[in-house]
Each structure stands twice: as structure tokens, then as C-alpha cells.
Amino acid sequence: DGGITQSPKYLFRKEGQNVTLSCEQNLNHDAMYWYRQDPGQGLRLIYYSQIVNDFQKGDIAEGYSVSREKKESFPLTVTSAQKNPTAFYLCASSLLSNYGYTFGSGTRLTVV
Amino acid sequence: GQQVMQIPQYQHVQEGEDFTTYCNSSTTLSNIQWYKQRPGGHPVFLIQLVKSGEVKKQKRLTFQFGEAKKNSSLHITATQTTDVGTYFCADPTGGGNKLTFGTGTQLKVEL
């Protein structure tokens, strides 16, 4: 079955440590996205990529980094520079224009 | 990016009552999408509206796009407990398919 997989589902890290969240899709979608969701709030765009080896900052990119070495994969690194990293992170993919997103099941990151 | 405003923020209804959420933008939208997120889950794409004045139905859900393409609504007829969740509208602000999500409307349905 085609889909988008995020791992792990839950992640705990100590403050000051970098952590990488995985996102893999087998939908042959060109575009991939990372969003952050805080409790009771909407989705805010962190980074997005429309083609391999290229990506753009979203609205809240500070403290995050990404790579797009393969069409299927778009990992997100939450660095120690991110001041409030505890959140629900959602990865999504889509065809390039005017199509709905397919979301992964998300990663809940808790930094203690 | 410009955020689409969504109202109400919360809505509690009795099962069987109707529910409507609205999205409003100060600028003309090329299209608008709607998503549903169940509690503890991830957003799921429901529909995309493109044409001015467009109305689309999915069983008990009716989606509308305003004539000026600056507002949209989602109406649920005779809510059921399975309708519980947060409904988001999203618009492709900034070009391509980069979506800006509305603030969401959280729906709770009581028996």
C-alpha cells in the first residue's frame, strides 16, 4: 500500500541534543513538507521541498534543518538551537500543484 | 504567510444537530482545501474547492467556496460521534502547493 511513514511515533530527548525525525513516502510525490503542531493549535510550516536536493524555509525554520537526497525521504533535524522543540511534528507529501496533502501519522517529540 | 481565519474555534453540539465552520481570507484565494484531524491523529484531506461559488457534497458534509473566493464553509448535517475532531481549511499562499492552514475548529459531539 502506498503511504507516508514517520518514525518514531514518540521520541524523548534531553535538552541540548540534536534529534532527527524520519519521513519516508512511496507515493511518488514530488513535494514534501514538515509542519509543527502545538497543543490545541494549527499547523505551522517548517520546511518544504519540491524537488530532490532542493528545499525552502517555511514560516518557522529557525532551529531546524532538513535534507532531500532522495525523492522518497525528507528527514527533519531538530537542533539544540530550537528553543521550544516539544511538539507534534507532521510530515506530508503531495503532487506539485493543486493537490491535497497526504500526512504521516506524526512524531510526538518531548524534550526534557 | 497570510493566515486564513477560521471560526468558531470550538463547537459543542448534541448528536443530530448541524455544525458549520467558516474560513475567511482578506485576499482572493486560488483554491481552498479542507482537512479533518481526529483527536490524537493526523490531518486527512477531505476536499479541494477551486471555482467561484462551488458547492460539493460528501454524504452529510457540504463544502462551499464563496463567489469572491475569499471565504469557504463546511457544513455537517445531523452530526454523529464519528464527526468529532478538528476541521482545518488550508490555502496555497505563496505559490506552488505550499499550504497555510487555518486555525481550525474543534468539534465535540455529545450523545
Side-chain angles (χ1 to χ4, degrees):
Chain A
D1 289 337
I4 182 165
T5 302
Q6 287 187 245
S7 61
K9 190 170 184 178
Y10 298 95
L11 189 56
F12 295 87
R13 278 295 182 268
K14 291 184 178 180
E15 194 171 331
Q17 290 182 333
N18 291 357
V19 60
T20 297
L21 281 58
S22 170
C23 179
E24 303 275 336
Q25 55 100 358
N26 61 3
L27 299 165
N28 200 31
H29 285 170
D30 294 297
M32 297 187 73
Y33 316 83
W34 275 104
Y35 284 85
R36 169 183 172 140
Q37 187 174 35
D38 293 285
Q41 300 198 21
L43 285 71
R44 293 183 291 167
L45 182 64
I46 304 172
Y47 268 98
Y48 65 103
S49 168
Q50 295 182 309
I51 194 170
V52 174
N53 291 323
D54 189 41
F55 47 82
Q56 285 78 40
K57 293 182 179 179
D59 300 318
I60 55 165
E62 185 175 351
Y64 300 98
S65 65
V66 293
S67 63
R68 187 89 185 274
E69 297 177 1
K70 299 186 299 181
K71 186 176 184 178
E72 302 78 18
S73 179
F74 192 40
L76 173 74
T77 296
V78 184
T79 75
S80 56
Q82 169 50 233
K83 295 181 181 178
N84 296 297
T86 294
F88 187 39
Y89 290 88
L90 288 158
C91 180
S93 68
S94 76
L95 295 171
L96 275 178
S97 295
N98 295 328
Y99 286 92
Y101 286 6
T102 299
F103 279 89
S105 56
T107 293
R108 295 190 185 276
L109 173 64
T110 302
V111 175
V112 295
Chain B
Q2 169 105 21
Q3 189 169 38
V4 175
M5 299 305 298
Q6 201 171 341
I7 55 170
Q9 188 175 3
Y10 302 99
Q11 184 88 56
H12 289 199
V13 299
Q14 295 289 321
E15 189 177 39
E17 293 182 337
D18 292 356
F19 159 77
T20 305
T21 174
Y22 302 89
C23 276
N24 297 295
S25 172
S26 58
T27 58
T28 301
L29 304 172
S30 59
N31 66 74
I32 194 158
Q33 299 180 13
W34 286 92
Y35 292 78
K36 176 184 178 180
Q37 184 176 23
R38 294 181 184 273
H42 58 275
V44 174
F45 173 70
L46 295 176
I47 208 162
Q48 177 175 270
L49 304 173
V50 179
K51 298 177 183 178
S52 169
E54 189 169 16
V55 177
K56 287 188 176 181
K57 292 190 176 183
Q58 291 178 351
K59 298 183 180 178
R60 295 179 294 102
L61 277 61
T62 301
F63 303 86
Q64 293 190 349
F65 202 10
E67 292 290 340
K69 300 181 74 173
K70 289 186 176 181
N71 56 75
S72 181
S73 65
L74 159 58
H75 179 83
I76 302 178
T77 302
T79 55
Q80 300 174 0
T81 54
T82 54
D83 296 324
V84 165
T86 301
Y87 293 85
F88 292 98
C89 60
D91 76 274
T93 304
N97 203 32
K98 179 168 71 74
L99 292 178
T100 297
F101 283 79
T103 47
T105 295
Q106 185 178 347
L107 172 64
K108 292 190 176 180
V109 180
E110 299 172 356
L111 293 171

